[in-house]
Amino acid sequence: MAREGTRIEAVMSEIRSRITSRAALPGARLPSVRAQAGALRVSVSTVVEAYERLVAEGLLTARPGSGFYVAGPVAPLALAEMGPKVDRAVDPLWVSRQSLESDARVLKPGCGWLPASWMYEAGVRRALRSLARADTLELAEYATPQGHPGLRQFLARRLAAAGIDASPEQVLLTESGTQAIDLVCRFLLEPGDTVLVDDPCYFNFHALLKAHRVHVVGVPYTPQGPDLDAFDAALGEHAPRLYITNSGIHNPTGAVLSPLVAHRLLKLADRAGLVIVEDDIFADFEATPAPRLAAFDGLSRVIQIGSFSKTVSASLRCGHIAAKPEWIDGLTDLKIATNFGGGRLGAEVVLSAITDSGYRKHMEAVRVRLAEAMDKAVTRLATLGITPWIVPQAGMFLWCRLPDGVDAAAVARACLQDGVVLAPGNAFSQSASAGDYLRFNVAQSRDTRIFEVLERALSTAGRGSKART
Amino acid sequence: MAREGTRIEAVMSEIRSRITSRAALPGARLPSVRAQAGALRVSVSTVVEAYERLVAEGLLTARPGSGFYVAGPVAPLALAEMGPKVDRAVDPLWVSRQSLESDARVLKPGCGWLPASWMYEAGVRRALRSLARADTLELAEYATPQGHPGLRQFLARRLAAAGIDASPEQVLLTESGTQAIDLVCRFLLEPGDTVLVDDPCYFNFHALLKAHRVHVVGVPYTPQGPDLDAFDAALGEHAPRLYITNSGIHNPTGAVLSPLVAHRLLKLADRAGLVIVEDDIFADFEATPAPRLAAFDGLSRVIQIGSFSKTVSASLRCGHIAAKPEWIDGLTDLKIATNFGGGRLGAEVVLSAITDSGYRKHMEAVRVRLAEAMDKAVTRLATLGITPWIVPQAGMFLWCRLPDGVDAAAVARACLQDGVVLAPGNAFSQSASAGDYLRFNVAQSRDTRIFEVLERALSTAGRGSKART
């Protein structure tokens, strides 16, 4: 009887492992009881009992007269569990969730956006008041498939000012910058393709690319842009289809692509037939514009992405894609299929905010405040032995190295207990080689409590690491 | 020399066909010139010349010292060209684009939404005015990952009123109803899976499912719901993972699921482990609520989708998903990865519009207007020999059969010339068996010019079909 129990367990465990490895897919019919008994060299009654128990567990379903089937779906796409197991504190989705979920009392030096009070609130209020008097179509109707014509015209002019020649027909509006990149990935990638990213890069690129079931290869980032030798080697070894980067103000480092690297990078991309997605959402933070890959390339193999979530408001979602006309056409079909019509209202508010006379002044003031906050953060962090990789010319990010032997994930966990959300380095690093880095958002790092909490966490983490050695 | 030219052509054509069949993927390295010459039994110089010409054509790229590579990307996802070639007039994306792109002068009896002047404009204006005075966070900050807590609470109460027991934590806000279905598909489907749809069904389901690279199987729809024998047979034959439907007011037929069919359908789904997506965006049009699969099932295997684009405004995008808690958690991760934070503003406007005292009255008035428009459309269409499949109890759709021998796609093409956008039946039909049907939106069919244009097109199409027989 004991041996019979063991045999049933063995059959159940065999079937369970086929299901978890997806050798047997949800909905698939299992071998008949007789065939299974033969294959596993057990009795028919053992298989019947094993099948019945798996039905009771919900793993199989029985269809009278037809047989046993794998219950479905058992394996929905679980982003948090895909790929190698990582410390939940450096899981990119953990960082996003902590930043998005926390209430106003939580301090968020690790988040990727400005405090709400730094955004263009006055412009948004004016836009809403004027929209409340707008005509019915603006208030009630879907946008055209490519999105608000006036905003696309404005964006084409802004692209021209940045040296990128694009007609309004080459601009597609989306619901957000992230959705824009997601559409491009759906358009150009197939599961199993390879994509290059910077190491470190914006952590949500990792989560997004997981959702596309592609292979991600990181290229080390230098203060002038990606390491070109490593980039060239990655092209030869992996034949990637896409490279996703920020040229302007690189996330998380705040670095700026040099013209020399930009030029060589595009030559390599040309030879390899590589498409480049240039995520340019920090453009308006630059005092003096850095070179853009899209300007060098003329939107031939570069696709540029933008959004207004970082400067106007994150509460209205509005992003855009600039690309060559034939790609915009296919992307528009894909946008209709997966999101149907876009909204008019968000685009209308954005257009009226950025074209009102106050926006330029607002951004000048933001740049001044950011520069001051940057100085203060560098000075304050230095007292804790935390040193910037570079001091960026613009933007909100400061990529910093912790004192020797201190683990950023441990510090992040400790600080979270005290209501401070940090962004640990390995969330940004495909090779997990940034375990002693943190990304600070200087605009969100003005409260002195952050540094008190950080100091305590550092001393504990430092002791912990010394105790271990 | 002529023979040499022919050989070069043959090599080029061989490589071209490998690329178009995706046997050689973009970025892949081609066999060396010597190996290729051996394999194709031609000279090395023939291969060199063929490779060089393909480089000149842009199909290959040369990397000095490394070899020849397939230029990439050459095959972005082209929804309009996937699957069997269809008449562009019945391509689902064509219908969507015509409806979304057309300006106010075009008449759109084929579109799927109310005229802007029928929407809840007064409520939206009031909401915008009050939002212009809201606090900074509402105006500038991202929403929490699951979306506006107040709107989720409201939706949970509304679900409870429909007999669906769900906590606010079981509701996830999205940017639109379509995006909600798209997220669910990404969560539960893998390329190659099978999905059941009604035949006919909302045409954008076809486009959306193409983007997911899944196999679509249509189940004939009856006035009480899907044909259960066909449904059962499809479960046995195709082991689908998902079934997407509208129970309330079925698009395009306006039919309502009977309790008997709902109950039997869920029993079949249970046995097969099938997940059901119930797209419930027309709920507010019902005078007496029909049974909901989600209410019978208790959100165990049913996922319910909703949106406000059909009743409040299509200009603000705001949809939602109700599902079991563990699915909501995975869906939320996927939403962050592919769209990052949602907006607060759209949700805030929707919540304030639907909870203001005028919304209920507004919807009552819309239902009365729709009933009147339905009567008129039925009468007017009868004079043209166009007969409804059923006369729906509610909603805007009337699914109609044309006179014998008239092709709906031909009629749609002719009417478009005269500024009238129709929705031909085969755009809704997976089996292409609705070639003599049109879907009318009665709210968009009040202009008498529509029937004049239609009458002309019918007589031409009728003559055409007689001439052919």
Side-chain angles (χ1 to χ4, degrees), chain A residues 107 109 380-381 383-384 386 411 414-415 418-420 422 440 445-460:
Chain A
L107 299 164
R380 191 67 186 82
L381 288 167
T383 66
L384 300 177
I386 299 177
V411 171
C415 288
D418 290 327
V420 174
L422 294 175
F440 285 90
S445 302
R446 293 159 308 137
D447 193 309
T448 54
R449 280 174 299 166
I450 291 170
F451 300 95
E452 292 158 21
V453 166
L454 193 53
E455 187 163 20
R456 270 203 305 279
L458 281 173
S459 79
T460 315

Side-chain angles (χ1 to χ4, degrees), chain A residues 229-250:
Chain A
D229 290 336
F231 197 88
D232 194 20
L235 291 180
E237 191 175 344
H238 302 286
R241 294 201 81 180
L242 215 61
Y243 166 51
I244 305 186
T245 189
N246 327 100
S247 320
I249 300 175
H250 178 254

Side-chain angles (χ1 to χ4, degrees), chain B residues 273-400:
Chain B
L274 179 77
V275 177
I276 299 175
V277 175
E278 183 171 61
D279 179 17
D280 201 30
I281 57 169
F282 299 109
D284 284 357
F285 290 107
E286 283 182 307
T288 40
R292 289 292 183 274
L293 291 168
F296 282 46
D297 167 73
L299 292 180
S300 153
R301 63 176 63 263
V302 174
I303 297 173
Q304 206 183 48
I305 304 295
S307 120
F308 301 96
S309 309
K310 304 297 180 188
T311 54
V312 177
S313 163
S315 176
L316 343 131
R317 309 300 285 133
C318 183
H320 53 93
I321 303 173
K324 55 182 171 184
E326 59 271 34
W327 284 355
I328 290 294
D329 200 49
L331 286 164
T332 303
D333 276 349
L334 200 51
K335 176 185 158 189
I336 294 174
T338 58
N339 203 36
F340 204 62
R344 287 184 184 225
L345 211 136
E348 190 64 40
V349 174
V350 163
L351 180 62
S352 104
I354 55 181
T355 53
D356 99 7
S357 59
Y359 182 65
R360 181 190 299 263
K361 264 195 184 156
H362 162 76
M363 283 312 300
E364 273 168 24
V366 166
R367 285 192 290 266
V368 170
R369 285 179 88 173
L370 276 173
E372 288 168 4
M374 183 73 77
D375 280 350
K376 278 194 190 147
V378 170
T379 310
R380 192 66 184 82
L381 288 166
T383 66
L384 301 177
I386 299 176
T387 46
W389 185 67
I390 57 164
V391 178
Q393 297 161 22
M396 63 185 92
F397 296 132
L398 197 54
W399 179 241
C400 294

Side-chain angles (χ1 to χ4, degrees), chain B residues 405-434:
Chain B
V406 177
D407 173 42
V411 171
R413 270 191 303 270
C415 287
L416 188 64
Q417 299 286 325
D418 290 327
V420 174
V421 176
L422 294 175
N426 277 344
F428 303 84
S429 173
Q430 181 65 16
S431 61
S433 58

Side-chain angles (χ1 to χ4, degrees), chain A residues 220-280:
Chain A
Y221 208 73
T222 81
Q224 288 77 43
D227 179 308
L228 289 174
D229 290 336
F231 197 88
D232 194 20
L235 291 180
E237 191 175 344
H238 302 286
R241 294 201 81 180
L242 215 61
Y243 166 51
I244 305 186
T245 189
N246 327 100
S247 320
I249 300 175
H250 178 254
N251 184 356
T253 66
V256 160
L257 190 66
S258 81
L260 184 76
V261 173
H263 175 65
R264 292 197 179 157
L265 187 68
L266 281 170
K267 271 173 61 180
L268 292 175
D270 266 340
R271 278 210 322 229
L274 180 76
V275 177
I276 299 176
V277 175
E278 184 170 61
D279 179 16
D280 201 30

